[in-house]
């Protein structure tokens, strides 16, 4: 990897408005307490964990949701950060094979009852047990249509983590295009977007959901969020040799310095936002071409597009103002966060 020269995080100038649910502070504190109670983090470092600001991110992307749903989203986000950190820890210490039983148990829980309806055994690991608790609550608040999407998206997230682990094997370097496809899922955004749509009462019909016009809007939004996060997290990932980062890959493939690569990411984000806005302007025509005349369906699509805008600007503002994760000295030095339980995956 190229030398880590100092760089400034650009102002990405996302042309969207954002406001924040005032319950974000409360949700952040209660989600932190939940993570401690479920044994996901070291209790003595709960303040550092709370600094991630998952409750604040939830408050930026799911405003005016019932508080219990905002809290559930905050807890899911807290769990997802633990999931990501634990997976990263196993890669670093050469125990990535220990991940498969965790991944399999999570996949069984989210999928098996859909296929068989059979009772599921009680999970015997805190990471799996807390997932099962959250998953059951999440599905209970979803329509069957959204349940199906959520059930598809969670296993895809887990597969993308395997793909990123493979990217870190000696001698392997994904292309930028390969990385972008994987990152769309390793961002973990798809299940969270499903949750927000359920909480906001948004239900886009499946044939519209699968249309090229809506898929382009989705991937544009996820790319903008993911690439921006790659800039914020670059010092941490660089310090531990993790090349699953757009800036690092652009530098490596094109011979750029990291500041130059950050500038290239900034331009890509600018271009992707432009593509998103163009697709959004063209959406009424695309819906007409699909024969979507139902006012409820068209309104749901409009609300979804607004939700994507909330995600893009909300994630950016969260990283700039609500989140200490990428500024923490231990994390930026490539060390495990103080709240990380090194034995969590092996706990039975």
């Amino acid at each position: 990897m190229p030398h880590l020269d100092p760089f400034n995080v650009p102002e990405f100038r996302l042309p969207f408005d954002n406001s924040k649910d005032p319950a974000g502070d409360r949700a952040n504190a209660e989600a932190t307490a939940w993570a401690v109670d479920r044994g996901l983090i070291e209790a003595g470092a709960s303040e550092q964990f709370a600094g991630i600001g998952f409750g604040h991110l939830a408050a930026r992307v799911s405003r005016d949701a019932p508080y219990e749903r905002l809290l559930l989203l905050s807890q899911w986000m807290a769990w997802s950060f633990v999931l990501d950190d634990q997976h990263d820890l196993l890669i670093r210490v050469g125990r990535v094979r220990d991940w498969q039983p965790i991944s399999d148990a999570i996949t069984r829980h989210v999928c098996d009852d859909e296929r068989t309806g059979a009772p599921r055994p009680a999970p015997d690991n805190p990471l799996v047990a807390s997932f099962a608790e959250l998953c059951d609550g999440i599905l209970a608040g979803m329509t069957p249509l959204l349940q199906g999407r959520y059930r598809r998206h969670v296993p895809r997230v887990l597969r993308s983590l395997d793909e990123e682990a493979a990217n870190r094997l000696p001698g392997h370097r994904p292309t930028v295009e390969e990385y972008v496809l994987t990152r769309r899922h390793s961002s973990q955004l798809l299940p969270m977007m499903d949750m927000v749509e359920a909480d906001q009462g948004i239900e886009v019909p499946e044939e519209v959901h699968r249309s090229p016009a809506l898929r382009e809007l989705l991937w544009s939004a996820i790319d903008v969020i993911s690439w921006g996060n790659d800039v914020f997290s670059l010092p941490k990932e660089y310090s531990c040799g993790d090349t699953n980062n757009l800036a690092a890959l652009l530098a490596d493939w094109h011979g750029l310095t990291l500041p130059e690569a950050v500038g290239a990411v900034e331009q890509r984000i600018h271009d992707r936002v432009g593509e998103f806005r163009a697709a959004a302007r063209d959406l009424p025509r695309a819906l007409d071409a699909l024969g979507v005349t139902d006012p409820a369906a068209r309104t749901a699509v409009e609300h979804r597009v607004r939700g994507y805008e909330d995600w893009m600007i909300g994630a950016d503002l969260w990283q700039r103002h609500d989140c200490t994760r990428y500024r923490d000295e231990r994390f930026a030095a490539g060390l495990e966060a103080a709240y990380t339980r090194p034995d969590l995956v092996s706990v039975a």
Side-chain angles (χ1 to χ4, degrees), residues 14 16 19 26 38 89 96 114 118 135 152 203 265 338 346:
L14 304 178
F16 310 116
S19 60
R26 177 186 170 192
R38 299 309 188 268
L89 173 63
V96 74
E114 180 188 31
C135 179
R152 293 193 300 270
E203 185 169 82
V265 174
S346 61

Side-chain angles (χ1 to χ4, degrees), residues 273-347:
V273 169
E275 291 163 357
F276 175 91
R277 300 183 78 188
R281 288 193 298 270
D282 193 52
L283 199 52
R285 186 203 61 77
L287 294 176
D288 291 342
L290 287 170
V292 180
T293 58
D294 178 20
R298 295 181 77 107
T299 298
V301 170
E302 291 174 7
H303 288 171
R304 171 179 281 191
V305 173
R306 173 59 186 162
Y308 290 159
E309 293 174 358
D310 285 342
W311 272 103
M312 285 186 281
I313 187 63
D316 184 73
L317 293 174
W318 160 71
Q319 290 172 123
R320 294 182 191 278
H321 304 298
D322 304 322
C323 176
T324 62
R325 178 176 174 85
Y326 308 112
R327 298 191 298 272
D328 182 270
E329 289 184 3
R330 285 179 58 91
F331 213 65
L335 303 173
E336 300 305 325
Y339 57 75
T340 300
R341 286 189 58 186
D343 63 337
L344 182 59
V345 166
S346 61
V347 169

Side-chain angles (χ1 to χ4, degrees), residues 4 33 119 155 176 184 195 230 270 272:
L4 182 58
V176 171
R184 289 174 175 176
M195 293 179 66
D230 281 359
H270 175 79
R272 209 69 173 108

Side-chain angles (χ1 to χ4, degrees), residues 5 13 18 32 107 110 161 170 178 237 262 281 317 332 344:
D5 294 319
R13 301 182 182 87
N18 186 252
T32 300
T107 300
V110 75
L161 295 180
E178 289 170 339
E237 286 157 3
V262 168
R281 288 193 298 270
L317 293 174
L344 182 59

Side-chain angles (χ1 to χ4, degrees), residues 8-316:
N8 294 319
V9 175
E11 292 289 341
F12 294 123
R13 301 182 182 87
L14 304 178
F16 310 116
D17 297 324
N18 186 252
S19 60
K20 188 169 145 185
D21 193 301
D25 278 322
R26 177 186 170 192
N28 200 70
E30 293 188 10
T32 300
W34 172 85
V36 172
D37 183 70
R38 299 309 188 268
L40 295 175
I41 64 169
E42 296 286 3
S46 60
E47 183 177 351
Q48 185 198 48
F49 186 66
I52 296 173
F54 25 78
H56 298 283
L57 177 57
R60 289 190 181 277
V61 300
S62 192
R63 300 183 307 277
D64 302 324
Y67 178 73
E68 64 272 13
R69 302 304 294 184
L70 180 67
L71 176 59
L72 186 61
L73 177 60
S74 303
Q75 291 168 332
W76 171 268
M77 289 177 171
W79 177 87
S80 73
F81 280 110
V82 174
L83 181 83
D84 188 66
D85 288 344
Q86 287 292 323
H87 187 258
D88 188 61
L89 173 63
L90 293 180
I91 294 172
R92 295 192 202 202
V93 300
R95 289 177 47 210
V96 74
R97 290 185 179 180
D98 293 350
W99 185 252
Q100 199 60 50
I102 298 293
S103 179
D104 290 346
I106 291 171
T107 300
R108 282 195 304 271
H109 189 92
V110 75
C111 293
D112 279 0
D113 67 327
E114 180 188 31
R115 289 196 287 260
T116 67
R120 293 164 296 191
D124 59 4
N125 178 278
L127 194 60
V128 179
S130 54
F131 168 81
E133 174 191 346
L134 293 172
C135 179
D136 292 348
I138 289 165
L139 290 171
M142 288 180 162
T143 64
L145 184 64
L146 286 171
Q147 287 177 354
R149 290 174 191 163
Y150 175 84
R151 292 183 196 276
R152 293 193 300 270
H153 290 154
V154 170
R156 185 63 185 89
V157 165
L158 296 171
R159 292 198 302 274
S160 72
L161 295 180
D162 293 337
E163 291 165 9
E164 290 201 339
N167 288 344
R168 294 170 67 172
L169 292 173
H172 185 75
R173 178 179 61 165
T175 66
V176 171
E177 293 74 18
E178 289 170 339
Y179 169 72
V180 166
L181 294 177
T182 293
R183 186 71 168 100
R184 289 174 175 176
H185 299 283
S186 67
S187 66
Q188 305 193 46
L189 286 166
L190 285 173
M192 291 189 282
M193 287 177 167
D194 295 334
M195 293 179 66
V196 170
E197 291 198 1
D199 296 346
Q200 300 292 331
I202 300 169
E203 185 169 82
V204 175
E206 190 66 15
E207 64 275 14
V208 184
H209 170 75
R210 292 181 178 276
S211 68
L214 269 241
R215 300 307 281 179
E216 175 60 22
L217 280 163
L218 169 66
W219 297 136
S220 294
I222 287 181
D223 288 346
V224 167
I225 299 163
S226 301
W227 300 347
N229 178 257
D230 281 359
V231 173
F232 282 97
S233 63
L234 179 57
K236 177 261 183 183
E237 286 157 3
Y238 178 90
S239 66
C240 62
D242 184 359
T243 56
N244 286 295
N245 184 291
L246 180 59
L249 282 172
L250 287 173
D252 202 21
W253 279 106
H254 299 292
L256 305 176
T257 66
L258 284 180
E260 290 170 342
V262 168
V265 174
E266 180 183 13
Q267 184 61 50
R268 282 179 175 242
I269 289 173
H270 175 79
D271 294 344
R272 209 69 173 108
V273 169
E275 291 163 357
F276 175 91
R277 300 183 78 188
R281 288 193 298 270
D282 193 52
L283 199 52
R285 186 203 61 77
L287 294 176
D288 291 342
L290 287 170
V292 180
T293 58
D294 178 20
R298 295 181 77 107
T299 298
V301 170
E302 291 174 7
H303 288 171
R304 171 179 281 191
V305 173
R306 173 59 186 162
Y308 290 159
E309 293 174 358
D310 285 342
W311 272 103
M312 285 186 281
I313 187 63
D316 184 73

